[in-house]
Amino acid sequence: MKREIKSVALEDIKLSYEVYGDGNTVILCFHGNGRSADDFKFLEKNTRKIISVHLFLHGYSTFSPHRIHQDLITAEHVEKLLEKLLLKEKVKDFHWVAYSQGGRFTLSAFPSFASRVKSMFLIAPDGMNDNNFYSWSQRQWWTRKLFKRWVEKPEELMSISRVLAKGKIIHPKHVSFLDYYTSDPEKFETAYKTWSAFRDLRPSNEEVRKTLDKHSIQFKVIVGEHDQIITPKSARNFLDKIDQSNALKTIPYGHDIFKPHIEKELLALMPFEDFD
């Protein structure tokens, strides 16, 4: 299927995206940290138009380096850029799919686009809890300084994480997750930059709840039963807060779900044409 890479801009910010197909069913996709827009190629079908966004600091989406520490990316930036994208692509309404960190972007911008959203499927989404350690640590100057140090000395972070795992303070899978990033210096640096630059993207559970109450949208949160990064428990807590306790769907996997045999299960959980 034909692939096109396009972009929209706002000030110094460029948001790039890929388009697959030209069908009537439009699906907007946001990938996760360290992943790519290609993750959603498995959704391709003759009747669909897939718009897969490159998250900032991934692919071709860029902004001025100073935004990593100040003048941070906000929901307002994301909303204005998405409005430009939808206008450029002549999109009236669409389905929304997001994975991991892409979920933080989606939940932050969703209230502004809800009247145009037919369905929303969040796969192991970040952004469900603004009070967890990940979100809290983003906002502390000293933790940002510490993580910057670990970008330069990843072996120090791995040594500490192994000790914490041995003492059963963190799960061993967290060590594997950290090892995945620290083993690749470029990937680890990107993870640090996104962690710092996106800390003002803070979805409001109350706004999400009110928006879902107001609009008739097919909504699901899909989480791996063995996911130690975005756990089923965190998803249940989030869904209870937004009065969507029946929206949870679990699959028997971990956090890394973009594999052929798992993609088939995801497709079964996302029947887009049923809502057109």
Side-chain angles (χ1 to χ4, degrees):
M1 194 172 284
K2 184 180 178 182
R3 171 193 182 191
E4 295 181 84
I5 299 178
K6 303 181 180 182
S7 65
V8 291
L10 176 71
E11 301 168 4
D12 61 304
I13 308 169
K14 182 175 77 170
L15 185 72
S16 294
Y17 58 96
E18 300 185 12
V19 179
Y20 309 105
D22 57 3
N24 294 324
T25 298
V26 179
I27 306 173
L28 178 66
C29 306
F30 281 15
H31 66 78
N33 184 42
R35 305 294 306 185
S36 77
D38 287 346
D39 280 346
F40 298 100
K41 291 186 72 175
F42 76 99
L43 296 176
E44 285 183 345
K45 197 175 179 180
N46 290 336
T47 57
R48 298 173 180 173
K49 177 177 181 177
I50 311 296
I51 302 174
S52 193
V53 171
H54 294 191
L55 284 194
F56 300 115
L57 300 173
H58 295 74
Y60 300 97
S61 292
T62 61
F63 51 69
S64 298
H66 76 276
R67 288 190 183 274
I68 294 170
H69 304 292
Q70 56 190 7
D71 297 329
L72 306 175
I73 298 295
T74 65
E76 185 177 1
H77 290 124
V78 178
E79 290 161 11
K80 288 181 178 179
L81 286 161
L82 281 183
E83 193 58 62
K84 285 174 175 262
L85 183 158
L86 296 173
L87 182 63
K88 185 173 181 175
E89 296 300 322
K90 299 180 174 61
V91 175
K92 180 182 178 182
D93 45 39
F94 59 95
H95 302 273
W96 209 335
V97 179
Y99 169 66
S100 198
Q101 192 172 80
R104 177 180 290 263
F105 281 79
T106 298
L107 288 168
S108 296
F110 166 63
S112 296
F113 296 93
S115 63
R116 303 165 71 175
V117 177
K118 290 186 173 183
S119 69
M120 185 162 67
F121 300 97
L122 303 180
I123 306 168
D126 178 28
M128 295 188 293
N129 183 359
D130 190 46
N131 297 312
N132 61 13
F133 177 76
Y134 176 87
S135 297
W136 173 84
S137 62
Q138 283 178 306
R139 300 190 288 273
Q140 311 306 313
W141 67 268
W142 59 272
T143 54
R144 294 197 299 274
K145 188 174 182 179
L146 187 59
F147 270 86
K148 186 176 181 181
R149 168 191 171 91
W150 285 336
V151 168
E152 299 170 359
K153 298 182 177 183
E155 69 283 353
E156 183 176 282
L157 173 59
M158 291 310 302
S159 294
I160 293 171
S161 66
R162 291 188 187 101
V163 169
L164 293 176
K166 190 174 181 179
K168 298 184 178 181
I169 297 172
I170 64 173
H171 196 281
K173 287 191 176 181
H174 290 154
V175 179
S176 299
F177 180 75
L178 288 172
D179 187 53
Y180 169 76
Y181 283 101
T182 57
S183 60
D184 184 332
E186 184 177 349
K187 187 178 293 183
F188 191 34
E189 184 174 7
T190 298
Y192 160 71
K193 288 178 178 178
T194 60
W195 175 76
S196 178
F198 304 156
R199 64 184 185 272
D200 271 5
L201 280 172
R202 301 169 63 181
S204 165
N205 288 350
E206 183 62 17
E207 283 299 309
V208 172
R209 184 189 66 77
K210 288 179 180 178
T211 304
L212 287 170
D213 281 347
K214 183 177 179 181
H215 299 275
S216 179
I217 297 169
Q218 174 68 18
F219 175 65
K220 291 181 184 177
V221 173
I222 304 168
V223 177
E225 293 173 8
H226 310 299
D227 193 335
Q228 295 297 321
I229 309 304
I230 306 297
T231 65
K233 181 180 178 180
S234 65
R236 290 188 188 95
N237 289 339
F238 166 68
L239 292 171
D240 285 345
K241 290 176 182 176
I242 64 170
D243 296 334
Q244 295 287 328
S245 57
N246 294 326
L248 180 64
K249 302 295 178 181
T250 60
I251 52 178
Y253 305 103
H255 191 67
D256 182 10
I257 51 80
F258 289 99
K259 298 174 181 177
H261 64 291
I262 303 177
E263 289 169 353
K264 292 177 182 178
E265 293 191 39
L266 290 176
L267 284 171
L269 290 172
M270 299 186 288
F272 302 105
E273 279 78 13
D274 289 358
F275 313 117
D276 285 337

